[in-house]
């Protein structure tokens, strides 16, 4: 029997990043306004090693910058506009640092799932630095952040740097050896693309003593199918469709 799972079941993806610019504080505020108390976000490193929120390797889809984000210092990144692409009402919204998001979540009693999203080639460094910073930022918190990644090297580095922070292996496919890998990395959970999860896969996860979370569930029929399987966590964009109380 796995230990009690301390996180809310419904988690706003990229901080509710469809109704507001993803991975910004504005998105977290929109998620919170819909009653969400848990958030997922993507974290990578600036050129000078500051963990900050951004999904893509490059800046152009979600900011007014161009090129590889990892080439810019945090001082440069913090001046980009990460809101106008979504709508004029969000003009000037900055890229947030992990520290800013930690203050928002801790101040409101919200849970955070930090997806370690390294720029290719910096898997180990990103895992280590994000875990070290998270351990400091959440040191007095009642509930630690959940660190997840598609990158085993990032999770292995996080395990070494901050072994007490819970980890989860992200799965976009059931790669050979996925379950032993999750165990070797000391994971408390797997976070799988929802279409991968059926009763057989779920039984394997549970028998290994792990929790099962899914992303990104926006379809009510899928949510119902997965709820019947008693999934531990749903990551969703559709914060206006799914009440987090259910
Ligand atoms: O953490 C779950 C989900 O966010 C993984 O996919 O591409 O949205 O970061 P992506
Ligand atoms: Mg993500």
């Amino acid at each position: 029997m796995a230990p009690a799972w301390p996180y809310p079941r419904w988690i706003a993806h990229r901080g509710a990043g469809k109704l507001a610019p993803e991975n910004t504080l504005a998105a977290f505020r929109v998620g919170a306004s819909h009653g969400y108390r848990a958030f997922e976000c993507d974290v990578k490193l600036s050129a000078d090693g500051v963990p900050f929120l951004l999904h893509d390797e490059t800046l152009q889809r979600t900011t007014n910058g161009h090129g590889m984000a990892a080439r810019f210092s945090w001082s440069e990144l913090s001046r980009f506009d990460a809101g106008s692409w979504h709508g004029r009402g969000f003009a000037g919204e900055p890229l947030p640092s992990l520290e800013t998001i930690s203050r928002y979540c801790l101040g409101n009693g919200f849970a955070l799932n930090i997806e370690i999203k390294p720029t290719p080639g910096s898997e180990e460094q990103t895992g280590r630095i994000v875990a070290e910073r998270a351990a400091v930022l959440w040191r007095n918190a009642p509930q630690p952040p959940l660190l997840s990644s598609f990158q085993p090297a990032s999770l292995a580095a996080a395990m070494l740097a901050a072994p007490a922070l819970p980890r989860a292996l992200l799965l976009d496919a059931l790669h050979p050896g996925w379950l032993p890998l999750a165990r070797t990395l000391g994971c408390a959970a797997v976070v799988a693309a929802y279409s991968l999860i059926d009763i057989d896969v779920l039984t394997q996860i549970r028998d290994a003593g792990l929790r099962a979370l899914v992303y990104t569930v926006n379809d009510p029929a899928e949510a119902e199918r997965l709820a019947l399987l008693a999934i531990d966590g749903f990551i969703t964009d559709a914060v206006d469709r799914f009440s987090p109380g259910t």
Side-chain angles (χ1 to χ4, degrees):
M1 186 71 183
W5 188 244
Y7 299 100
R9 201 171 188 209
W10 284 90
I11 302 164
H13 185 224
R14 304 183 193 175
K18 289 283 190 223
L19 301 177
E22 64 184 56
N23 286 313
T24 67
L25 198 47
F28 279 69
R29 290 194 168 114
V30 167
S33 76
H34 285 83
Y36 276 66
R37 301 186 58 78
F39 298 85
E40 185 264 3
C41 62
D42 305 299
V43 175
K44 49 176 44 73
L45 299 181
S46 66
D48 49 345
V50 177
F52 72 101
L53 275 61
L54 186 72
H55 180 274
D56 298 359
E57 292 165 29
T58 53
L59 292 161
Q60 48 268 25
R61 183 177 63 86
T62 57
T63 80
N64 63 343
H66 290 273
M68 294 291 287
R71 296 225 177 105
F72 292 84
S73 68
W74 174 241
S75 151
E76 292 167 324
L77 289 167
S78 61
R79 288 197 287 269
F80 287 126
D81 177 345
S84 288
W85 70 277
H86 192 281
R88 270 182 290 182
F90 294 109
E93 184 69 29
L95 290 168
S97 66
L98 179 60
E99 182 170 351
T100 292
I101 292 302
S102 77
R103 273 194 245 112
Y104 178 76
C105 288
L106 289 167
N108 286 287
F110 295 158
L112 189 64
N113 169 201
I114 301 172
E115 183 189 339
I116 304 169
K117 193 80 128 182
T119 302
S122 70
E123 288 79 6
E124 186 275 335
Q125 184 196 25
T126 307
R128 175 174 54 79
I129 292 178
V130 170
E132 283 171 356
R133 283 300 292 151
V136 171
L137 292 167
W138 272 266
R139 63 187 173 281
N140 297 319
Q143 185 178 53
L146 175 66
L147 306 182
S148 62
S149 189
F150 289 107
Q151 303 300 329
S154 296
L155 291 173
M159 179 164 65
L160 266 179
L165 294 184
R167 291 171 299 285
L169 180 63
L170 273 159
L171 296 170
D172 55 7
L174 297 178
H175 312 287
W178 61 274
L179 191 52
L181 177 62
R183 299 192 67 172
T184 302
L185 293 166
C187 289
V190 297
V191 182
Y194 68 84
S195 58
L196 301 176
I197 296 293
D198 59 20
I199 188 67
D200 292 337
V201 173
L202 188 63
T203 302
Q204 290 180 59
I205 295 169
R206 294 255 163 80
D207 286 353
L210 303 181
R211 298 299 185 137
L213 286 71
V214 287
Y215 73 91
T216 305
V217 180
N218 297 328
D219 172 34
E222 276 299 325
E224 197 171 326
R225 176 182 78 83
L226 293 156
L228 289 172
L229 295 174
I231 289 288
D232 297 293
F234 295 80
I235 297 175
T236 185
D237 296 312
V239 297
D240 52 346
R241 189 173 305 146
F242 298 121
S243 164
T246 62

